Amino acid sequence: MKTKHTAGADLKSVSINHRNVLALGQGTWNMGDSTTNRKTELDALRTGIDLGMTIIDTAEMYGNGRSELLVGEAIQGQRDKVFLISKVLPSNASRQGTIKACENSLKRLQTDYLDMYLLHWQWRYPFEETVEAMLQLRQEGKIRDWGVSNMDVAEMEEFYSIPGGNTCAANQVVYNLTRRGIEYDLIPWCRKNNIPVIAYSPVEQGRLLNNKLLSEIARRHNATPTQIALAWVIRNPGVIAIPKAASAKHVEENFKSLSIELTEEDLQQIDSIFPAPTRKMPLEML
Ligand code: NAP
C-alpha cells in the first residue's frame, strides 16, 4: 500500500488496527537511559512524528520504564498523532499482572490508552490469562488493540485456539537481511490471517550498515546502506519496520527508505548474499 506524503512522495504504508500508518515506525530500546542524550533523543522522536513515522514502539522492560518515560515526554501535546505500542513483560503476564503492568505503562507514558499492547514473549503464564486481561483492557478503553511478540506459527495457532485469541492484531519479531527465517512460514501465516508483522532490529542493531553489497546497491539508488536495508524489510506488504534511531539525522535518513523501490536486480543480488530460507527455521530472538 502507498500513501501520499504531504511532500508529494508515495510512501509505503500498512493498515494496522484499521489505521493506515507509514510502514516505518520508531523503536526506543536503550533510549531514555542517559540524561546527557535526552534532548537529542526527544528531538529524534519528535522529528519522526513530524515526518509521519507515527508508530512508536516501547516496553516496560526498556530501561525499567525509562524508555516509556522518554516517549511520554516526546508525545506530549500530540498524543492523537501517534500509534503507541508498549509491551508487558512475561513475568507480569498473569491476568491481574497484565492489567497492573498496563496501568503503570500508561502512567509513565502520560496517556490514558495504548494503540497496541503486546505480550513481549512467552513464559510461564497460560496464554488464556494474558488474553483475558488483554480483552478486559480493551473493553475498558485502556488499549485499542493487543498483540504478541516473538511468537512463531505454533504459538500463533495456540493463541488462535483460545477464546478471543483470534483478535490478536500484530506479531512483533526479529526480521532483517541476516535473519530471514520468518519468510518461510510466519509471514505467510500472518498474511493469511491479516496480522501485520512488526519487524524489530531491522538493521541488525547497526551490524549490517557497513555491508559491501548494501553500499553497492545504495550507490545505484543515490541512497545509504541503512536505507537499502530498511527498504528491503518493508518491501513485503503488511510488514512494518521499527528501527531505533537516537538522532534526528538518523531518523531523517531512515524516513527516505519509505520511497525506495528495490529492483529485481537488487533483490537477486541480495538473495545471493543473504539467502531466503528453504526450510523451517527456529524463530530467532534478540
Ligand atoms: P535496530 O533498529 O536494528 O538498530 C539500532 C541501531 O542502528 C542503533 O545503534 C542506531 O544508532 C543504528 N541506526 C539506526 N538508524 C541509523 C542510521 N540511519 N545510520 C546509522 N546508524 C543507524 O535495532 P533494535 O534497537 O534492536 O531494534 C529496533 C527496535 O525494535 C527496538 O528499539 C525496540 O523498540 C524493538 N525491539 C523489540 C524486541 C522484542 O523482543 N519485541 C527486541 C529488540 C528490539 P543510533 O541509536 O545512534 O541512531
Side-chain angles (χ1 to χ4, degrees):
M1 209 186 329
K2 298 262 174 87
T3 293
K4 207 36 117 210
H5 189 252
T6 38
D10 276 332
L11 304 179
K12 291 204 178 74
S13 63
V14 169
S15 171
I16 182 167
N17 193 7
H18 312 295
R19 269 171 75 177
N20 193 27
V21 289
L22 291 185
L24 203 69
Q26 307 188 72
T28 63
W29 193 12
N30 297 316
M31 286 173 77
D33 290 340
S34 130
T35 42
T36 326
N37 298 341
R38 194 166 193 86
K39 201 177 161 303
T40 314
E41 292 177 346
L42 286 170
D43 190 34
L45 290 171
R46 289 174 183 151
T47 299
I49 298 169
D50 289 347
L51 287 168
M53 292 163 60
T54 50
I55 295 184
I56 300 188
D57 179 78
T58 182
E60 61 171 337
M61 185 189 96
Y62 300 163
N64 264 328
R66 285 189 296 274
S67 162
E68 289 181 326
L69 289 170
L70 179 86
V71 172
E73 194 176 335
I75 65 175
Q76 274 313 292
Q78 47 182 350
R79 169 68 187 94
D80 55 335
K81 283 193 199 163
V82 173
F83 189 100
L84 191 54
I85 304 177
S86 193
K87 312 183 196 82
V88 56
L89 270 171
S91 52
N92 286 336
S94 62
R95 184 172 172 148
Q96 283 314 314
T98 302
I99 289 167
K100 188 85 209 122
C102 179
E103 288 167 352
N104 288 335
S105 287
L106 291 175
K107 276 190 210 129
R108 285 188 290 267
L109 288 159
Q110 300 183 57
T111 183
D112 51 7
Y113 73 97
L114 296 172
D115 294 282
M116 181 73 74
Y117 198 36
L118 307 178
L119 170 59
H120 210 146
W121 67 90
Q122 178 187 23
W123 192 46
R124 68 188 168 101
Y125 290 109
F127 284 158
E128 284 86 348
E129 279 202 39
T130 317
V131 172
E132 277 174 24
M134 292 292 189
L135 297 178
Q136 184 180 328
L137 286 166
R138 200 175 62 173
Q139 184 155 23
E140 290 170 352
K142 290 176 181 157
I143 64 174
R144 293 265 162 95
D145 236 321
W146 69 278
V148 294
S149 176
N150 297 301
M151 303 281 172
D152 208 344
V153 171
E155 287 89 45
M156 293 309 287
E157 284 182 342
E158 206 180 322
F159 262 103
Y160 262 50
S161 67
I162 296 169
N166 64 357
T167 58
C168 170
N171 189 6
Q172 186 177 121
V173 286
V174 63
Y175 182 53
N176 64 49
L177 282 161
T178 62
R179 301 179 195 271
R180 296 184 61 172
I182 63 169
E183 286 174 30
Y184 189 76
D185 54 353
L186 187 59
I187 290 184
W189 191 94
C190 288
R191 193 168 295 150
K192 193 177 87 197
N193 289 285
N194 237 338
I195 295 185
V197 170
I198 305 174
Y200 74 71
S201 307
V203 296
E204 183 61 14
Q205 300 182 329
R207 290 182 287 275
L208 261 174
L209 305 182
N210 293 321
N211 181 272
K212 212 164 140 260
L213 173 64
L214 289 186
S215 304
E216 187 187 321
I217 298 174
R219 266 194 299 279
R220 292 204 287 266
H221 288 270
N222 197 15
T224 65
T226 317
Q227 289 165 346
I228 300 300
L230 291 172
W232 179 86
V233 169
I234 58 175
R235 81 202 182 287
N236 293 297
V239 178
I240 298 162
I242 47 163
K244 173 252 184 183
S247 66
K249 184 170 170 280
H250 283 173
V251 171
E252 280 160 359
E253 177 180 339
N254 297 350
F255 173 74
K256 294 193 182 128
S257 62
L258 282 158
S259 48
I260 295 176
E261 277 302 337
L262 297 174
T263 64
E264 261 319 301
E265 183 195 0
D266 300 332
L267 294 173
Q268 274 173 20
Q269 274 188 312
I270 285 173
D271 286 349
S272 68
I273 306 285
F274 303 104
T278 52
R279 61 187 165 82
K280 168 77 191 150
M281 316 278 282
L283 183 66
E284 296 184 78
M285 202 175 151
L286 289 179

